Amino acid sequence: MKAIIKYAEGTGKVDFLDVEEKLCGDYEVVVEVRAAGICMTDIHIVNDLYPWELFSPLGHEFSGVVVEAGKVVTRFKVGDRVTTCKYGGFAKYAVKNENDLIFKLPDNLSFDEGAMIEPLAAAAFSVINRSKFKVRDFILIEGAGTLGLCAMQVVKAMGGVVAVSGTSRSLPRIELAKKLGADYTINIDKINPVNFIMDVTKGKGADAIFECAGTQAALDTGLGSLKNGGVLTQIGLYSKNPVVDLNSIVCKNQQIIGSIGYESETWMKCIELVKDRIIDVQSLITHRLPLTEWKKGFDMVERREGLKIILNP
Ligand SMILES: [Zn+2]
């Protein structure tokens, strides 16, 4: 079968190539992929900024149908609709251990929504497990990409008051943030975000920040608008190491923490949140392309066109 793989070390060494189909082991299931999201991490893999195992198919946010189950597999059977992660989504079939993060999709979730559980879980983990905030706390989400809009909805579900910031280039995303429930939106090319946050919080600053943009400007804004004793959770990855205003951290007793990944429990909660229509991931999907047009999709993600782009094998 053909899969998108990284075939050598270095920049750009990613292509849609023939790979050997793996056999289904006793503890494994074969998932026929139906929908797989392209993530900025995939672009970082192409640009050699994020480690990836050679010849292991890319695609870490996907859903599909179990078409084969190993002899001793108990959690799944042929025909189960599932969502999963890690690797293998950009191919017709992916082989997964039944103890990997792989979960059944409720009947009312589409495969597209299933492919969105992974990024939602990453955002939810940072909000639920990493950051500590209380009901009606004021939260600034920097960056209106998939992670930002997922984090925003989780914060809303937990009773926070949310502002989402982005640039003029991401105006459609900022408008979507408003539609999905953001209390405030900030176009940072038009409004000084630090002044805005200080105004609406009456000079106190945001109780917590989720930095989903991974830019120097976002980090500076984050520390500048974070209250004394506040926590900035870093979710976005940087292509270049930023300069950190350590004096702000010292003088304002601030903290920066990082967040990546999730737990099994996070996935189960996220599936429930989408199933019960508390969180809308469908609206984040702007384009669908056949897997053969992966290059077009990758280029769009790199240029930040649309929002979530789904590849269908
Ligand atoms: Zn991702």
Side-chain angles (χ1 to χ4, degrees):
M1 71 174 175
K2 285 186 109 179
I4 300 176
I5 54 162
K6 188 169 173 76
Y7 58 89
E9 301 289 350
T11 309
K13 310 281 189 195
V14 169
D15 210 345
F16 190 45
L17 298 171
D18 269 314
V19 289
E20 218 177 298
E21 253 175 70
K22 277 212 257 166
L23 294 173
C24 183
D26 288 351
Y27 295 90
E28 292 174 329
V29 292
V30 179
V31 177
E32 188 184 75
V33 180
R34 294 296 177 87
I38 308 173
C39 170
M40 197 40 103
T41 305
D42 295 313
I43 310 305
H44 288 317
I45 295 166
V46 173
N47 295 331
D48 216 31
L49 297 168
Y50 191 86
W52 193 261
E53 193 187 317
L54 293 185
F55 301 104
S56 177
L58 273 67
H60 58 272
E61 329 177 331
F62 63 104
S63 63
V65 179
V66 173
V67 290
E68 199 178 339
K71 267 188 235 145
V72 292
V73 168
T74 53
R75 284 181 63 213
F76 301 98
K77 59 178 191 316
V78 170
D80 281 347
R81 302 163 71 250
V82 293
T83 169
T84 183
C85 61
K86 262 191 183 153
Y87 57 85
F90 296 151
K92 191 162 185 337
Y93 299 106
V95 180
K96 294 273 149 185
N97 188 293
E98 73 161 332
N99 295 317
D100 286 344
L101 288 167
I102 168 166
F103 301 89
K104 277 184 205 164
L105 278 181
D107 291 341
N108 71 334
L109 257 69
S110 65
F111 287 115
D112 282 358
E113 287 173 312
M116 294 297 290
I117 299 298
E118 195 276 348
L120 174 60
F125 181 74
S126 72
V127 174
I128 300 169
N129 299 64
R130 300 289 291 142
S131 164
K132 306 268 178 276
F133 70 90
K134 297 186 285 302
V135 173
R136 302 307 287 169
D137 270 1
F138 190 99
I139 314 295
L140 170 63
I141 311 258
E142 302 190 85
T146 302
L147 279 176
L149 295 184
C150 284
M152 183 274 287
Q153 294 187 74
V154 180
V155 170
K156 283 305 292 177
M158 292 174 73
V161 179
V162 196
V164 176
S165 68
T167 59
S168 289
R169 203 169 55 159
S170 59
L171 215 54
R173 299 176 175 196
I174 298 178
E175 271 154 23
L176 181 59
K178 192 109 213 176
K179 257 189 229 150
L180 293 174
D183 300 280
Y184 303 93
T185 52
I186 311 165
N187 175 352
I188 60 169
D189 294 325
K190 291 254 165 74
I191 302 168
N192 179 311
V194 178
N195 292 347
F196 181 89
I197 298 296
M198 286 304 166
D199 272 358
V200 290
T201 59
K202 299 183 176 68
K204 180 184 162 200
D207 294 295
I209 313 259
F210 293 92
E211 207 284 71
C212 308
T215 64
Q216 180 72 56
L219 181 61
D220 292 342
T221 296
L223 291 176
S225 48
L226 182 61
K227 74 171 182 184
N228 277 300
V231 177
L232 181 146
T233 305
Q234 185 65 47
I235 310 176
L237 288 169
Y238 288 82
S239 359
K240 200 174 109 205
N241 261 334
V243 176
V244 184
D245 182 358
L246 287 173
N247 280 346
S248 171
I249 293 178
V250 174
C251 299
K252 291 165 80 182
N253 280 308
Q254 294 169 328
Q255 285 182 63
I256 299 180
I257 61 168
S259 182
I260 196 161
Y262 24 63
E263 293 166 352
S264 193
E265 200 195 332
T266 327
W267 278 67
M268 292 189 276
K269 282 180 182 166
C270 288
I271 290 170
E272 292 281 309
L273 286 163
V274 177
K275 173 175 160 262
D276 294 341
R277 304 297 164 200
I278 291 165
I279 285 182
D280 172 5
V281 286
Q282 189 69 51
S283 299
L284 275 54
I285 300 169
T286 53
H287 298 79
R288 284 175 195 78
L289 294 169
L291 184 56
T292 47
E293 289 180 34
W294 67 279
K295 192 81 184 60
K296 185 176 162 193
F298 273 46
D299 288 345
M300 287 170 74
V301 170
E302 188 155 25
R303 290 194 302 263
R304 292 179 171 77
E305 274 174 47
L307 187 45
K308 182 53 79 181
I309 299 171
I310 298 279
L311 293 178
N312 300 112

